[in-house]
Amino acid sequence: MENEEEKLPLSYISQYGYCPRRAALLMNQQLWQENEYTAEGRAQHQRVHDGRVEHRGDQLKLYEFSVWSNELMLSGKCDCVEAVKQPDGASLPEQEGRFRLFPIEYKHGRMRHEPEYEMQLCAQAICLEEMYGVSIPEGALFFIDVHQRLAVSFSEDLRRRTRQTAEALWLCFREKALPPAKESPKCKKCSLREPCMPGLSRSAREYCRGLLDELKEGAP
Ligand code: SF4
């Protein structure tokens, strides 16, 4: 049973892996801006997120499957969990029999290795393992545009990085931190580039913030 303790959205693992400042802007400052990349990804995910269950012989496909972990203190949804009958597998609600579980996360664009996608998928596997008391050795990223799967093995190294990222995410949330901007090629695709201002030096950013504070203080 999920305990009532507060949890952070599991997808923030991917945001934090992409850029800790981006995760902090989303999580601690509730900033969100759409760009062509986020709009395309959201539209493609909406086609997946319909909560249906497909039966194909001994296999089930559970779309938009809710998961949580008390260990990681995260909750969210798997885009799809493939479940194949296996005698010592997981017992799923409203389904007869036991199943081997295989999480799949949908992504847009060309097929590529992105450490943050792999950590997000691994966090989903850790959730499923905790919820159903099973072991999940691998899952896959499915790249929608090219209809290709990239297998992801949940190695000890990936699990360690996922747990460390969940801890760092929680620390960032508790401290209401805003990590400094580090301009990189990732900034070009980042929808939060405008409010983040990665090209500004720290002193210029603090100067602008000071001006804004003065304006707020002077406001009637
Ligand atoms: S613009 Fe760059 S530094 Fe700023 S949040 Fe996005 S990726 Fe991070």
Side-chain angles (χ1 to χ4, degrees):
M1 178 70 75
E2 181 176 7
N3 87 33
E4 293 300 310
E5 204 175 1
E6 187 179 14
K7 292 184 171 57
L8 289 175
L10 186 148
S11 60
Y12 281 2
I13 285 274
S14 179
Q15 302 288 356
Y16 195 94
Y18 186 80
C19 169
R21 181 174 172 87
R22 179 176 167 83
L25 287 168
L26 290 167
M27 184 170 61
N28 296 339
Q29 302 204 358
Q30 277 84 51
L31 283 181
W32 173 250
Q33 285 190 1
E34 193 90 285
N35 69 6
E36 61 183 295
Y37 301 104
T38 57
E40 189 185 338
R42 198 167 47 76
Q44 288 178 337
H45 266 83
Q46 271 168 358
R47 289 196 282 278
V48 173
H49 282 182
D50 59 5
R52 71 186 187 279
V53 179
E54 281 180 10
H55 293 253
R56 289 185 195 167
D58 275 356
Q59 190 187 67
L60 299 179
K61 282 181 185 255
L62 306 124
Y63 292 93
E64 201 189 15
F65 192 77
S66 295
V67 293
W68 49 263
S69 164
N70 290 330
E71 181 204 347
L72 301 179
M73 292 169 67
L74 300 176
S75 65
K77 295 200 187 263
C78 294
D79 284 337
C80 178
V81 177
E82 280 184 359
V84 180
K85 284 220 166 139
Q86 180 172 285
D88 60 349
S91 177
L92 298 172
E94 298 171 25
Q95 305 297 337
E96 261 184 44
R98 291 182 168 270
F99 299 87
R100 174 172 58 80
L101 304 180
F102 186 88
I104 302 172
E105 173 66 17
Y106 286 57
K107 295 295 180 191
H108 68 106
R110 63 186 167 75
M111 193 159 91
R112 62 207 185 274
H113 280 282
E114 297 284 5
E116 63 269 23
Y117 291 173
E118 295 178 5
M119 287 194 294
Q120 182 183 1
L121 185 67
C122 184
Q124 293 171 5
I126 292 172
C127 288
L128 289 165
E129 288 179 338
E130 183 179 327
M131 290 166 71
Y132 296 107
V134 292
S135 167
I136 302 180
E138 60 178 2
L141 297 167
F142 179 73
F143 290 88
I144 301 170
D145 297 355
V146 290
H147 281 258
Q148 280 186 307
R149 274 189 187 194
L150 183 65
V152 176
S153 168
F154 303 130
S155 64
E156 282 310 311
D157 178 59
L158 178 56
R159 287 170 185 269
R160 181 184 48 76
R161 284 186 284 118
T162 303
R163 289 188 165 97
Q164 283 176 349
T165 303
E167 278 172 26
L169 182 70
W170 265 98
L171 188 64
C172 178
F173 176 70
R174 288 197 182 105
E175 294 185 345
K176 297 286 170 271
L178 183 59
K182 278 192 202 155
E183 185 141 41
S184 77
K186 291 179 176 180
C187 300
K188 278 192 188 144
K189 290 189 171 182
C190 178
S191 64
L192 299 182
R193 185 180 173 84
E194 198 180 301
C196 170
M197 298 186 284
L200 272 187
S201 69
R202 175 183 280 270
S203 57
R205 198 177 296 114
E206 279 168 2
Y207 173 74
C208 291
R209 201 171 294 139
L211 283 179
L212 280 172
D213 289 345
E214 279 176 30
L215 276 172
K216 276 186 210 153
E217 279 167 22

